[in-house]
Amino acid sequence: MSYRRDWHAMGGTTASQSAERSLALIAGREAWSDESPTRSAATKVAGVLEAAAFFTAATLGWTYHLTAHSRPSSSVIVLAPVAFSIICLLFSVRQLLLVLIGRDLPFPYGARVTVRSVLALALITSAFAVMPGWASLNSWPIGVALGADASLTSWALGWHLRPSRWWPAFLVSPYHLGAVGGLLGAATFQQSGSVWSTAFPVLVALHLWVIIASVVAWGLNRLNDNEKADRERAYSSAASIEHQKNAHWLHDDLCAQLRLVSIQVQSRSIELEDVAQLLDDLDHQIRLRQLDAIFATDTVRVAEIIQPWLRRAQNNGVLIDRVPSLDEVSMIVSTEVGREFSHAVSVLTSNALNAGATRISFDVAQTEHHLSIAVSDDAGGLKTSELPVGRALWSLQQDLGQDQLVVTPTPNGTRVQANVALTERNHRGAVVAR
Amino acid sequence: MAQLLLVDDASALAELFALAIESKLGHSVAVAVALADVGDALKKIDHLDLAIVDLSFPQEQGTGLDALAEIHLAVPSAKLAIITQGDLWVAQVLRDAWELLPIATVISKSAPLAYQLGAIESVVTTGSAPVDPAVQTLLPARRSPYRTLSSFASLVHHGGHAKLWTALLSSNDPSYKEIADISGLKLNTVKNYRAQLLPDLVAHGLEDPTLREMRDFAIRCRPFLAPYLDVRDGK
């Protein structure tokens, strides 16, 4: 391990690392969040808090400006409240949009650092111009915003912040020592009264910002840590329930079925072909169980739904002429649509197998409103009007709607197409195959 | 009589399947039940006509992709076939293998034995066999012409990229901070390197991937990426 890595492992920071961290924080959360937008409660709270803090800072700035007894005469100073408000509202609205929409404009890193640095500098300058002297303490919401912003950025980066070290670090930082030195120099060589009434309050306000930012970051990090712990407990609990379900299924269904085959083989009451059939049935049950587990994840890929039925047909000795490729079945649908689609595939495949098909083709298509499965076989003709009442195909027609089960005669058999509705609520749309 | 190599961690099943191939098709079959055994198995046989490789090795670090790559590198003339359960667990690895290597066929483990043997015989005699319909839905209709073994070279332009991939490969929960710590790169450098690689990752189906997705891709495709990492790192 190099010296640099040793130093890092000890928790120390070099000057370049410190500068790098500062730049990373200045760049902001969106420079580092290549993950999909985070919707955690802590992130939302931090975002809303930052937006509210900037809005409050602008309000306090204007309140002070409008009620102050003495008004500045310089035109630059007169524009300060406007600049201060615009910057605050810019940060505030942008942060609210991030909370609501989740994504920022794709600015390059350098542009982000530059723009945010300029805005931060303008914010600080205009804040002290709007609220000079001891009135600068009214700018305390900026400390809240800084704490929230640093928290959001550190979470995106994967940093664990240590806010308790911020104020001591600020005390010994070159910026602070330089400011204190300048202040003392000015007090020594100029009239101390004006220094203590103008420059000293600014220094106090900066301390206030750092302390408030530390407290806010500490609170938000606690919230984030607690949320993570709660989430892990929930995952752990869900996993435990799932393990119990699996154990129950293994014991009750799988072992019982295997035991049945074992007893039949031991008692010689079954032919080898029947053993193979029983085991194939068991394999199919396991695949359906696997599919059920995928349904429990909330979304499912169409390819995964039809796969057990392809295997089922294949194990029944049927020749499969055509199946859709990944490009045609890569779309992801909600569990609700998936279950309906799975039911349709099950009924159509079983119907073809029961009719004595020796060749089967599967086709999948998606339109704006429907996801369709069509099964073509060589097992003779069938008409919609001939569907036996109460049987699976008839029930499927009732479930889907009269027009959504289309039976078409083919030269050797029948093509049955089932159209499953994709409603606004349950349609997740198609996704790229990978 | 052809010489076959069967690579599958389900040892009992592999032995039984090898026996079926030998007795029904008359070919000679060597069996490797671990990824680490593939090299030794290749040394023991004087030539190889067809390798049949399972994709899932849950007890090991790698996947069947590692074995396929090793066999292809050692015996480029050998035909490659995949035998797999073909479920969600291996879907991505299957697609990688299909797109990156000259896979002659894919056989489903759940297909009837006669069907499996028919596919193997077809590959031995004609060089290929149709993909098993049960796993067809996991494969694209056409192989991407942009996704090749040489396309991995463009994922490692220089030593910095090699550091990034190496850090990703050893990261458990990749974040910019963790990757910077592991690689010794600066945070912004990690960000820049990732941005530089984005256009080349599109060929591999990764559209603006997260660091986690890049890590998963690197782990999956390690056998194809690793040679370029070693070269760029100067090893």
Side-chain angles (χ1 to χ4, degrees):
Chain A
M1 188 184 278
S2 67
Y3 167 76
R4 186 178 185 280
R5 297 296 297 275
D6 280 340
W7 176 246
H8 195 91
M10 289 160 63
T13 53
T14 62
S16 70
Q17 280 176 337
S18 179
E20 186 192 358
R21 288 183 183 190
S22 302
L23 277 176
L25 285 174
I26 290 171
R29 164 175 69 142
E30 285 308 297
W32 307 104
S33 53
D34 52 74
E35 298 278 351
S36 52
T38 311
R39 303 285 184 187
S40 75
T43 310
K44 285 179 187 167
V45 168
V48 170
L49 191 64
E50 186 177 344
F54 277 120
F55 186 77
T56 309
T59 309
L60 287 175
W62 274 106
T63 307
Y64 176 78
H65 179 71
L66 294 174
T67 56
H69 297 298
S70 61
R71 299 285 173 84
S73 54
S74 161
S75 60
V76 176
I77 302 295
V78 168
L79 287 175
V82 179
F84 182 63
S85 307
I86 289 174
I87 297 166
C88 283
L89 290 176
L90 205 66
F91 278 125
S92 181
V93 170
R94 184 184 151 276
Q95 201 52 249
L96 274 182
L97 287 176
L98 278 174
V99 172
L100 295 174
I101 301 169
R103 280 269 176 200
D104 198 6
L105 293 173
F107 282 123
Y109 181 80
R112 272 181 198 284
V113 172
T114 308
V115 169
R116 278 173 59 102
S117 299
V118 169
L119 285 177
L121 198 63
L123 181 80
I124 295 167
T125 316
S126 58
F128 293 131
V130 173
M131 296 169 276
W134 288 108
S136 60
L137 297 184
N138 283 329
S139 65
W140 61 266
I142 292 175
V144 176
L146 289 176
D149 200 77
S151 300
L152 285 167
T153 308
S154 69
W155 296 340
L157 270 165
W159 260 344
H160 191 78
L161 287 180
R162 294 189 180 92
S164 58
R165 296 183 182 180
W166 288 1
W167 190 61
F170 176 68
L171 276 180
V172 295
S173 71
Y175 312 105
H176 180 255
L177 293 176
V180 170
L183 201 66
L184 290 173
T188 306
F189 295 107
Q190 292 183 0
Q191 286 184 338
S192 61
S194 77
V195 171
W196 293 120
S197 64
T198 54
F200 182 66
V202 169
L203 190 66
V204 175
L206 287 175
H207 278 267
L208 187 65
W209 287 6
V210 175
I211 291 167
I212 290 177
S214 309
V215 173
V216 168
W218 176 82
L220 287 172
N221 276 284
R222 283 293 299 269
L223 182 68
N224 194 39
D225 290 346
N226 289 343
E227 194 186 352
K228 269 189 193 167
D230 285 347
R231 208 181 302 138
E232 274 165 22
R233 271 195 295 275
Y235 286 153
S236 171
S237 168
S240 169
I241 291 169
E242 203 50 43
H243 286 316
Q244 284 172 14
K245 274 189 194 169
N246 282 340
H248 185 258
W249 173 72
L250 278 171
H251 179 263
D252 275 15
D253 297 348
L254 197 56
C255 294
Q257 189 76 17
L258 279 172
R259 185 74 189 144
L260 174 72
V261 178
S262 169
I263 289 172
Q264 286 177 317
V265 171
Q266 287 174 55
S267 62
R268 307 276 194 272
S269 64
I270 191 169
E271 296 296 320
L272 275 178
E273 275 185 12
D274 296 329
V275 173
Q277 183 60 49
L278 277 171
L279 291 174
D280 281 345
D281 287 345
L282 191 57
D283 181 85
H284 183 62
Q285 292 306 319
I286 293 170
R287 303 250 174 222
L288 290 183
R289 168 79 186 187
Q290 205 176 11
L291 184 58
D292 238 18
I294 297 172
F295 280 137
T297 63
D298 203 30
T299 56
V300 60
R301 193 177 289 218
V302 173
E304 287 147 19
I305 301 174
I306 63 172
Q307 226 189 19
W309 300 100
L310 295 173
R311 294 178 198 277
R312 179 74 165 166
Q314 195 179 42
N315 283 325
N316 271 264
V318 172
L319 187 67
I320 300 174
D321 282 329
R322 189 174 62 252
V323 290
S325 67
L326 179 64
D327 317 67
E328 297 162 285
V329 288
S330 64
M331 67 281 264
I332 291 172
V333 293
S334 67
T335 297
E336 198 180 337
V337 170
R339 284 195 189 280
E340 275 190 56
F341 189 77
S342 175
H343 177 57
V345 182
S346 144
V347 171
L348 266 49
T349 311
S350 302
N351 177 62
L353 294 178
N354 293 338
T358 59
R359 303 177 82 102
I360 291 184
S361 293
F362 291 83
D363 293 285
V364 173
Q366 189 194 13
T367 64
E368 194 182 345
H369 301 294
H370 291 98
L371 180 62
S372 306
I373 170 75
V375 175
S376 309
D377 62 49
D378 61 349
L382 175 74
K383 289 180 182 168
T384 318
S385 55
E386 292 172 356
L387 297 181
V389 176
R391 301 299 289 272
L393 211 52
W394 179 85
S395 298
L396 180 65
Q397 188 187 41
Q398 303 307 306
D399 291 345
L400 298 175
Q402 282 290 331
D403 302 335
Q404 303 308 330
L405 189 76
V406 184
V407 180
T408 316
T410 60
N412 299 318
T414 312
R415 181 180 191 273
V416 186
Q417 179 175 326
N419 303 323
V420 175
L422 294 168
T423 63
E424 189 69 32
R425 185 166 55 87
N426 58 22
H427 178 215
R428 302 295 174 96
V431 295
V432 179
R434 188 165 292 275
Chain B
M1 186 181 75
Q3 175 64 57
L4 275 59
L5 171 63
L6 179 61
V7 186
D8 192 339
D9 59 342
S11 54
L13 199 63
E15 295 291 348
L16 210 58
F17 191 48
L19 215 60
I21 295 171
E22 285 177 341
S23 62
K24 304 268 184 188
L25 303 179
H27 302 309
S28 173
V29 185
V31 176
V33 293
L35 295 174
D37 298 344
V38 172
D40 284 342
L42 287 173
K43 281 179 197 159
K44 283 178 189 164
I45 49 182
D46 50 354
H47 77 287
L48 179 64
D49 298 298
L50 168 65
I52 307 165
V53 181
D54 182 21
L55 292 180
S56 176
F57 289 79
Q59 307 301 326
E60 300 195 46
Q61 288 284 335
T63 66
L65 205 52
D66 295 80
L68 285 163
E70 185 179 352
I71 295 164
H72 183 59
L73 198 68
V75 194
S77 62
K79 299 285 176 200
L80 301 175
I82 291 170
I83 185 159
T84 176
Q85 290 286 0
D87 48 24
L88 184 64
W89 181 255
V90 294
Q92 194 59 62
V93 178
L94 173 62
R95 183 170 176 178
D96 287 332
W98 177 252
E99 291 187 327
L100 293 167
L101 292 166
I103 304 296
T105 193
V106 183
I107 304 165
S108 164
K109 277 192 171 178
S110 64
L113 181 63
Y115 182 93
Q116 295 173 332
L117 294 176
I120 291 168
E121 190 58 18
S122 175
V123 174
V124 170
T125 53
T126 70
S128 70
V131 172
D132 192 312
V135 289
Q136 181 80 64
T137 55
L138 300 176
L139 298 171
R142 287 187 302 116
R143 287 174 161 120
S144 165
Y146 304 108
R147 200 167 184 222
T148 58
L149 292 184
S150 58
S151 67
F152 282 84
S154 61
L155 296 180
V156 194
H157 298 174
H158 49 68
H161 290 164
K163 281 185 182 177
L164 171 63
W165 285 116
T166 307
L168 282 166
L169 280 166
S170 60
S171 167
N172 290 322
D173 184 19
S175 64
Y176 282 105
K177 168 79 165 55
E178 185 173 312
I179 297 301
D181 284 352
I182 296 172
S183 63
L185 297 169
K186 289 186 182 302
L187 284 168
N188 188 36
T189 309
V190 174
K191 185 172 175 56
N192 283 340
Y193 286 170
R194 175 184 166 274
Q196 286 166 11
L197 294 173
L198 291 182
D200 294 309
L201 284 169
V202 174
H204 297 275
L206 295 170
E207 299 270 358
D208 197 11
T210 63
L211 287 175
R212 192 169 290 115
E213 287 168 340
M214 285 176 72
R215 188 269 316 265
D216 294 345
F217 165 77
I219 289 174
R220 258 192 357 257
C221 296
R222 187 199 301 253
F224 309 115
L225 197 56
Y228 299 104
L229 302 186
D230 292 345
V231 169
R232 299 293 186 199
D233 265 350
K235 286 175 192 168

